[in-house]
Amino acid sequence: PQVGTKKVYIIDEVHMLSQAAFNAFLKTLEEPPSYAIFILATTEKHKILPTILSRCQVFDFRRISVADIAKHLAKVAGKENVIAEPLALHTIAVKADGGLRDALSIFDQLVSFSGERLTYQDVVKNLNVLDHEHYFRITDSLRKGDVAGALMEFNAVLQQGFDGHLFVTGLARHLRDLLVCQDPRTLELLEVSEELSVRYATQAAETPRQLLVKGLELMAHCDERYKMAKEPRLLVELALVQAVHSGASPVTNGEGERQSTEKKSPDRNIAAVKEPAAATPAHSGSRPMPRPAPSDPPVATTTTAYVPKRRMAGQVSIKADAVAMEAEKRTELEADHEGEMPVSDRSVNAVLLLKVWNDYALEQKARGRNSLHATLAAHEPQVAGPGRIRFTIVNEVQENYLRTERGDLLVHLRNALGDPGLALEVVKTEAELKPRYTPMDRFKLMAEKNPSLLKLREELDLDLG
């Protein structure tokens, strides 16, 4: 365009110029024409040559805030004699994503559809935006530990024709807004209407911060993997179940259940034996544990640890050492089955189990634990019965990895599958060795199917070794 005697040249996305184009343009800027004004527009200022930036006046622009767009739309609605609800204008401003031109275009289209009165329901219906009520209800379900309520609310969203990915990003935004409401210093980061700000403040006061942080982490993880998932609905439902269990109140039905997430330790068992019976606190609702008589010495119920005997020279027993080491390994692998958690009678979903197992294996691979990932991915876990999972290993290397990782893996499976009494059984089997065939063996097998090969061998006098 031309302004008076000046010609204005606007170069959009100037950072995409090649190196040769930048050098040519730099020569023009060193001795610019008196009648020319150059306006360079870019979203990546760091890619422009410093020699060009030094010859320019830099103006940094930012997106228009949601509140400013809503105020401007309210002024336009007043001039056009359109009665618009504040929440409807705020929804349009959010959808415009910082662009005032887009906001005015959306406002014009909605007014032409609804007439002189613009309501929040009209905006939600035409812009394919999820109502805030869904997010408020599902957050209440997460806080109360209501798995069924959360899943049914997500199903209602899908029944309305909304994409699951849109639901995930919207719920993450809702949890983020609740989190910033819990601290007065971050209230200015909340971009909602005044009508909704009161509801956000009320729900933020009732929701634990741990639930919000864990929910944000789960939604971000789900958002990252949604497009690559073969079962996206199952992925979202699993994230909701995990969020529910992270926000539910801990169950305190007894001392045994409170210790279910703790790994067994030989030191803890020894301390429990040495501790006098009078020092054991009584818990309401817990089952009284049987105590041995004072006159009787404590009897070990687990496998007796191997105590090497002192031998004379030349009397070393290698077989006894090997048997003791094998018994010790077997005791460590089966330690989690010994009375620390009541046996569960819940049925295990095989599809969900395989999904959770593979996700845990991929997580270990992302952390650089490739050997552990290979161990977990070598075989698929099997459902051995109600509340029981069986996993097969074939060598001592896999056995060592499972012995180290078993506690964390079992805690992850219990939380993900929602079964605190879940048990993991590790079975070691010998790897099947495939027979190795010599060239003569292969020739005999081929000759059985085609006897003419014997005649061919005799005529050509072939030597098969």
Side-chain angles (χ1 to χ4, degrees), residues 303-439:
T303 305
T304 304
Y306 173 73
V307 179
K309 298 180 180 180
R310 186 173 182 180
R311 297 178 179 271
M312 300 297 292
Q315 296 183 354
V316 178
S317 177
I318 300 178
K319 181 178 179 180
D321 292 343
V323 172
M325 293 176 62
E326 185 67 23
E328 183 180 356
K329 292 180 180 179
R330 186 167 58 253
T331 302
E332 292 179 359
L333 281 175
E334 297 176 354
D336 288 337
H337 295 287
E338 297 181 1
E340 189 177 0
M341 174 62 64
V343 179
S344 173
D345 56 353
R346 300 183 186 177
S347 60
V348 182
N349 189 331
V351 178
L352 183 58
L353 168 63
L354 183 59
K355 173 71 175 174
V356 174
W357 188 281
N358 292 336
D359 289 347
Y360 186 84
L362 292 176
E363 182 180 350
Q364 302 308 315
K365 184 178 181 180
R367 294 169 55 186
R369 307 175 71 181
N370 296 327
S371 299
L372 178 59
H373 168 263
T375 300
L376 297 176
H379 299 88
E380 293 185 358
Q382 304 295 331
V383 179
R388 296 186 66 83
I389 301 173
R390 180 181 295 114
F391 184 69
T392 305
I393 58 177
V394 297
N395 53 46
E396 294 185 358
V397 177
Q398 295 180 351
E399 183 179 358
N400 293 334
Y401 279 115
L402 260 297
R403 186 186 303 112
T404 304
E405 191 67 19
R406 181 193 180 98
D408 295 338
L409 174 60
L410 187 56
V411 171
H412 177 78
L413 293 175
R414 288 172 177 174
N415 294 335
L417 299 178
D419 189 355
L422 192 67
L424 175 61
E425 177 183 356
V426 179
V427 179
K428 183 178 179 181
T429 60
E430 295 296 335
E432 182 180 357
L433 298 177
K434 296 183 179 180
R436 300 182 61 181
Y437 296 100
T438 62

Side-chain angles (χ1 to χ4, degrees), residues 86-287:
L87 189 55
L89 298 179
H90 182 271
T91 305
I92 296 175
V94 173
K95 190 70 175 180
D97 195 20
L100 184 58
R101 181 181 61 182
D102 295 340
L104 293 174
S105 300
I106 296 173
F107 176 79
D108 183 50
Q109 294 174 7
L110 293 176
V111 169
S112 63
F113 169 78
S114 60
E116 296 180 355
R117 183 174 182 82
L118 184 60
T119 63
Y120 172 70
Q121 295 300 330
D122 292 337
V123 174
V124 169
K125 181 179 179 181
N126 288 276
L127 292 183
N128 194 32
V129 177
L130 264 174
D131 192 357
H132 291 89
E133 293 297 329
H134 293 289
Y135 300 130
F136 280 111
R137 286 196 293 265
I138 204 166
T139 305
D140 288 336
S141 299
L142 299 181
R143 178 174 53 85
K144 297 176 182 178
D146 186 6
V147 176
L151 296 181
M152 292 304 298
E153 191 65 33
F154 176 55
N155 181 70
V157 171
L158 296 180
Q159 291 296 327
Q160 296 179 13
F162 289 98
D163 182 38
H165 201 184
L166 178 65
F167 168 80
V168 171
T169 55
L171 181 58
R173 179 74 182 185
H174 181 78
L175 296 177
R176 176 261 181 194
D177 290 341
L178 290 176
L179 187 61
V180 301
C181 282
Q182 293 186 342
D183 196 321
R185 294 174 296 177
T186 56
L187 281 177
E188 60 182 14
L189 302 178
L190 183 65
E191 294 183 343
V192 298
S193 62
E194 297 180 359
E195 181 180 350
L196 285 177
S197 60
V198 179
R199 294 195 60 186
Y200 270 96
T202 303
Q203 192 173 61
E206 299 173 350
T207 308
R209 181 183 295 268
Q210 179 183 1
L211 171 60
L212 298 178
V213 175
K214 184 63 177 180
L216 280 173
E217 179 183 356
L218 292 172
M219 291 302 109
H221 186 64
C222 183
D223 181 22
E224 179 183 358
R225 304 180 55 194
Y226 188 89
K227 293 183 179 180
M228 301 297 295
K230 294 182 179 180
E231 292 290 342
R233 175 168 182 168
L234 180 60
L235 180 65
V236 179
E237 290 177 343
L238 178 61
L240 291 177
V241 171
Q242 293 176 342
V244 167
H245 285 287
S246 67
S249 301
V251 181
T252 56
N253 292 335
E255 183 70 21
E257 291 186 2
R258 186 165 62 251
Q259 294 179 354
S260 61
T261 58
E262 299 180 0
K263 296 182 180 179
K264 297 191 69 177
S265 172
D267 297 336
R268 187 186 297 114
N269 295 336
I270 295 175
V273 173
K274 293 183 178 180
E275 185 179 1
T280 305
H283 298 278
S284 60
S286 61
R287 183 185 303 175

Side-chain angles (χ1 to χ4, degrees), residues 36-47:
I37 297 177
F38 294 96
I39 299 179
L40 312 181
T42 179
T43 56
E44 302 182 23
K45 185 176 62 175
H46 60 279
K47 291 186 178 181

